[in-house]
Amino acid sequence: MCNYLSSSTENLTIHKVEASSSQSVLENHELSCTVVSVPSVKSHLHISPQILPFALNSKVPEIYHGEPLIDRKSIFQAHCARVSTRGEVSLFISTLLTDRKVATATHNILAWRISSKEADCDDDGETHAGGRLLHLLTLSGIENVAVMVSRWYGGIQLGPDRFKHINNVARLLLTEHKFLSNTSDISNNNVTGHQKKHKHDKKKKK
């Protein structure tokens, strides 16, 4: 069974890589000062954020860890941090991946939003999950936040429930640390319910 990250905010040591391997990764990703987004979660397993142009002088943000949720042997755990630059987003990812359990998770779904014009996500192999997580941040209107949900696959397919769990553990952690208010109405179920009601009203008008 996984040894999960504690819910404390203690920062982890950043993993450093050899200059030669870092250089090759940089060349492969064609990174430069004009890069709009940050490298993928998988890329951070082989690259040190300190060598990225946009991460220079950035500091590791304080990271919060949520309680794990278990469903049919699959385990979901959220992590989040306040970020104000892409460099801090990159350090957030890299710091989390120094934990072996997180680094070997089946998926590490990521979404970050600094502003309405500066945001991105990464499915990390869980198709559409990153986009749904970013949608959660966008609907809430919160900025300067990065959130990652680690999933350890338990061998049983969960279908659409996996998306519900990913967003729910993220929402709970964001609410706990005051990124979201308790009254925020941003669940997928509420959106779907609103859409159904709207369609029903249209039928009545006809």
Side-chain angles (χ1 to χ4, degrees), residues 38-127:
V38 299
S40 67
V41 172
K42 285 282 191 293
S43 295
H44 279 81
L45 290 169
H46 311 289
I47 193 170
S48 174
Q50 289 95 328
I51 67 171
L52 299 174
F54 59 78
L56 295 176
N57 303 318
S58 294
K59 294 182 179 180
V60 178
E62 187 174 27
I63 299 175
Y64 306 98
H65 310 287
E67 294 298 322
L69 180 153
I70 304 173
D71 180 11
R72 286 162 280 180
K73 299 182 181 180
S74 275
I75 302 143
F76 302 81
Q77 185 180 24
H79 325 276
C80 72
R82 297 186 188 279
V83 295
S84 57
T85 66
R86 287 176 287 118
E88 290 179 356
V89 174
S90 190
L91 287 169
F92 165 73
I93 300 168
S94 181
T95 301
L96 283 171
L97 293 178
T98 60
D99 183 276
R100 185 174 176 276
K101 293 298 181 184
V102 174
T104 57
T106 313
H107 308 288
N108 282 307
I109 301 105
L110 173 75
W112 57 271
R113 189 172 189 263
I114 294 173
S115 69
S116 60
K117 296 182 179 179
E118 194 172 10
D120 204 357
C121 61
D122 184 359
D123 293 335
D124 195 37
E126 186 71 281
T127 307

Side-chain angles (χ1 to χ4, degrees), residues 1-2 4 67-77 105-107 109 126 149-159 161-163 165-166 169:
M1 191 170 182
C2 293
Y4 303 102
E67 294 298 322
L69 180 153
I70 304 173
D71 180 11
R72 286 162 280 180
K73 299 182 181 180
S74 275
I75 302 143
F76 302 81
Q77 185 180 24
T106 313
H107 308 288
I109 301 105
E126 186 71 281
V149 176
S150 301
R151 181 195 180 184
W152 292 268
Y153 180 57
I156 301 172
Q157 294 185 359
L158 303 185
D161 283 349
R162 68 191 190 279
F163 298 120
H165 295 329
I166 290 165
V169 294

